[in-house]
């Protein structure tokens, strides 16, 4: 057959499409190379494979779009109609990808999720998905975000978060998701936030954070989440905040945070989180500016503070914490944020509680 003559044989690789013109077999050395080459390397086949991949991607994208088009009412309705933990997990994930419901509807959404989570608390994936959803809904500081936080707390979501972490206290992913959700739910300074903080404390937030800190003492991500949760639950002013801070002290959180500070002295980020947590817990009374040193750098400041320890008759635990904070200050002399937090924390520690 002459070179270039039409052939009835199928195109290389067995594919025949209208836009692929049939060609005769190449001649000479090129023909031998083409005969032994794999089908994927033949011109035209790669084009077809790319085209198929694009079709697959388009189909996947259409499925994603269909999922995203679901509103929260439809998703919650489906959650109520299933008793399968995997499906419930899937629906929780969907809810994090669609527009947040209005504040007045948050109770309905989160009440359903809380019931599902408590019913299947042994399922770690469902606990993670539910906590991620709560964290997503609690983001922000505006009026709607505050209303959602209040609505979430009123349906028992905080209790469900803590219950999930208690059941999976050695599961890193559960603890990360739960601590972030707890921190977001309790972040704020208004009266509603104070009620949410008190709920978290009453349901054992500090008791949950304590083993998380000790079990994952080398994991900076878990430590950051746990320390921020402690700060957000303990923060505030007034009698309820004082009760929370005293509870944090009584549960041994101070000792655990001080141990983490000593362990991660060289890590400025973790050290700063520890100092902020210590200052928040010890801020039971307002700091006396006369007791707060103007500078906490150098040996002179250390000696001056040591003299104040005796004058203030501080207990040994406070003295040990102050020493750890001062060591941290010396380790990070150029970190202004850490220096300011350390100065504030030492001021609180110098007060008698």
């Amino acid at each position: 057959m002459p070179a270039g003559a039409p052939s009835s044989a199928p195109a290389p690789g067995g594919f025949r499409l209208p836009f692929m013109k049939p060609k005769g077999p190449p001649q000479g050395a090129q023909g031998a190379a083409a005969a032994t080459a794999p089908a994927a390397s033949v011109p035209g086949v790669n084009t077809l494979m790319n085209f198929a991949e694009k079709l697959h991607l388009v189909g996947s994208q259409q499925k994603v779009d269909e999922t995203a088009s679901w509103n929260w009412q439809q998703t919650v309705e489906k959650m109520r109609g299933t008793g399968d933990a995997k499906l419930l997990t899937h629906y929780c994930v969907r809810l994090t990808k669609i527009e947040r419901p209005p504040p007045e509807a948050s109770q309905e959404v989160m009440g359903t999720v809380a019931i599902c989570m408590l019913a299947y608390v042994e399922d770690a994936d469902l606990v993670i998905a539910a906590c991620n959803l709560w964290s997503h809904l609690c983001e922000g500081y505006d009026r709607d975000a505050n209303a959602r936080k209040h609505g979430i707390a009123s349906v028992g979501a905080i209790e469900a978060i803590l219950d999930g972490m208690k059941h999976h206290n050695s599961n890193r992913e559960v603890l990360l998701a739960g601590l972030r959700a707890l921190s977001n739910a309790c972040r704020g300074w208004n009266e509603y936030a104070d009620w949410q903080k008190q709920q978290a404390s009453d349901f054992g937030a500090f008791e949950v954070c304590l083993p998380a800190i000790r079990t994952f003492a080398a994991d900076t991500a878990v430590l950051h989440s746990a320390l921020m949760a402690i700060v957000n639950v303990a923060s505030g002013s007034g009698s309820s905040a004082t009760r929370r801070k005293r509870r944090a002290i009584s549960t041994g959180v101070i000792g655990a945070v001080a141990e983490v500070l000593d362990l991660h002295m060289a890590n400025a980020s973790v050290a700063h989180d520890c100092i902020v947590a210590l200052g928040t817990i010890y801020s039971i009374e307002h700091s006396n500016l006369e007791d707060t040193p103007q500078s906490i750098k150098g040996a002179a400041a250390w000696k001056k503070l040591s003299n104040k320890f005796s004058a203030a008759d501080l207990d040994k635990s406070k003295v040990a914490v102050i020493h750890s904070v001062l060591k941290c200050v010396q380790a990070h002399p150029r970190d202004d944020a850490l220096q300011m937090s350390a100065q504030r924390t030492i001021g609180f520690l110098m007060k008698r509680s």
Side-chain angles (χ1 to χ4, degrees):
M1 181 182 297
S7 170
S8 59
F15 296 107
R16 285 297 299 271
L17 292 176
F19 58 82
M20 293 175 63
K21 293 182 179 180
K23 296 182 180 179
Q27 302 297 315
Q30 290 182 348
T36 58
S41 66
V42 179
V45 176
N46 282 338
T47 303
L48 179 64
M49 293 174 67
N50 292 339
F51 181 67
E53 287 178 0
K54 289 180 180 179
L55 285 177
H56 174 70
L57 290 174
V58 170
S60 300
Q61 186 61 47
Q62 287 176 341
K63 290 180 181 178
V64 171
D65 291 343
E66 290 172 3
T67 300
S69 68
W70 281 29
N71 58 35
W72 61 267
Q73 294 101 326
Q74 292 171 314
T75 308
V76 169
E77 193 63 33
K78 287 185 174 291
M79 291 184 77
R80 291 172 178 167
T82 183
D84 185 272
K86 289 185 178 180
L87 277 177
L88 292 171
T89 302
H90 182 62
Y91 293 142
C92 284
V93 173
R94 283 186 173 186
L95 283 169
T96 62
K97 296 181 179 180
I98 62 180
E99 187 177 357
R100 293 184 183 93
E104 60 271 15
S106 294
Q107 286 180 301
E108 180 183 358
V109 176
M110 300 320 301
T112 303
V113 175
I115 292 170
C116 294
M117 179 174 160
L118 289 171
Y120 297 95
V121 71
E122 301 296 337
D123 191 296
D125 291 336
L126 177 56
V127 173
I128 292 169
C131 288
N132 286 338
L133 174 57
W134 279 317
S135 186
H136 169 68
L137 290 175
C138 289
E139 287 179 356
Y141 296 93
D142 59 10
R143 182 179 299 178
D144 286 352
N146 290 333
R148 278 194 293 268
K149 292 175 187 179
H150 180 63
I152 286 171
S154 65
V155 297
I158 290 177
E159 181 181 6
I161 292 170
L162 292 169
D163 196 42
M165 287 195 286
K166 289 174 185 175
H167 275 80
H168 303 276
N169 57 15
S170 60
N171 186 316
R172 179 182 183 272
E173 300 306 318
V174 170
L175 289 176
L176 274 175
L179 290 167
R180 288 168 183 164
L182 179 66
S183 188
N184 280 349
C186 295
R187 185 180 290 122
W189 292 89
N190 55 44
E191 58 180 325
Y192 294 130
D194 190 72
W195 178 68
Q196 287 141 215
K197 295 170 192 284
Q198 193 58 48
Q199 260 204 341
S201 177
D202 292 342
F203 286 126
F206 299 120
E207 290 83 349
V208 170
C209 290
L210 185 60
I213 290 173
R214 287 182 169 156
T215 303
F216 295 92
D219 191 319
T220 56
V222 174
L223 288 176
H224 173 74
S225 297
L227 291 167
M228 288 302 97
I230 290 170
V231 168
N232 285 315
V233 173
S235 61
S237 58
S239 58
S240 60
T242 299
R243 289 198 303 272
R244 292 194 297 273
K245 293 166 186 176
R246 292 192 184 282
R247 179 163 182 165
I249 293 173
S250 67
T251 56
V253 169
I254 290 291
V257 174
E259 290 172 7
V260 170
L261 179 59
D262 290 334
L263 180 64
H264 294 275
M265 189 73 67
N267 188 321
S269 178
V270 175
H272 185 233
D273 289 344
C274 290
I275 291 172
V276 171
L278 292 169
T280 301
I281 295 171
Y282 273 124
S283 62
I284 296 174
E285 299 180 29
H286 290 294
S287 174
N288 187 340
L289 294 178
E290 294 179 358
D291 289 338
T292 305
Q294 295 299 315
S295 174
I296 51 178
K297 298 180 183 179
W302 189 305
K303 184 176 180 180
K304 185 177 180 181
L305 280 172
S306 296
N307 293 334
K308 282 182 174 288
F309 297 160
S310 301
D313 192 25
L314 297 178
D315 60 71
K316 292 182 180 180
S317 62
K318 282 189 175 183
V319 173
V321 171
I322 292 176
H323 277 161
S324 295
V325 173
L326 285 172
K327 288 179 183 177
C328 188
V329 167
Q330 291 186 331
H332 304 281
R334 296 183 179 180
D335 192 320
D336 292 337
L338 186 147
Q339 298 283 334
M340 291 179 64
S341 296
Q343 188 168 345
R344 175 179 175 273
T345 297
I346 290 175
F348 288 129
L349 284 162
M350 296 298 291
K351 293 290 292 183
R352 294 185 185 182
S353 57

